[in-house]
Amino acid sequence: MSQVDMERFRGLLLEERGRVVAAIEYLHGENAGSLEDETGEETQGDQHLADAATATHDRELDYGLEDDADNVLRQIDAALERIEAGTYGTCRICGKPIGEERLEARPWTDLCIDDARRLER
Ligand SMILES: [Zn+2]
């Protein structure tokens, strides 16, 4: 991946990071905690997150829970580290380049579409 592309994706990641951090701060509010609760349901009535989800709907972003947002944040930070290390955009399982369309949809991903599908099953 060229330096120009790296910079472009760094921009996308930082932008996304800002949104996720805002969502997490909103969710934490006054009752921080229950981070390890693993449910897969959508959070209802969360305006901040709903806005974020709507704004980025076409980028298949729909983390709806606090722990999902935390998870995305960790992945974004890891992706930024990979940009620094020069390994960004490479699948961590097969080592092949991740498609640019996929990176635009999920700039924090470290899996190619084939491995992501395999793991999701
Ligand atoms: Zn792969």
Side-chain angles (χ1 to χ4, degrees), residues 1 8-9 88-91 96-107 109 111-114:
M1 184 172 286
R8 188 161 64 88
F9 283 112
Y88 180 76
T90 304
C91 175
K96 289 181 196 155
I98 300 168
E100 202 157 306
E101 279 181 26
R102 174 163 168 76
L103 286 173
E104 277 169 9
R106 292 176 174 265
T109 192
L111 290 171
C112 69
I113 189 69
D114 292 338

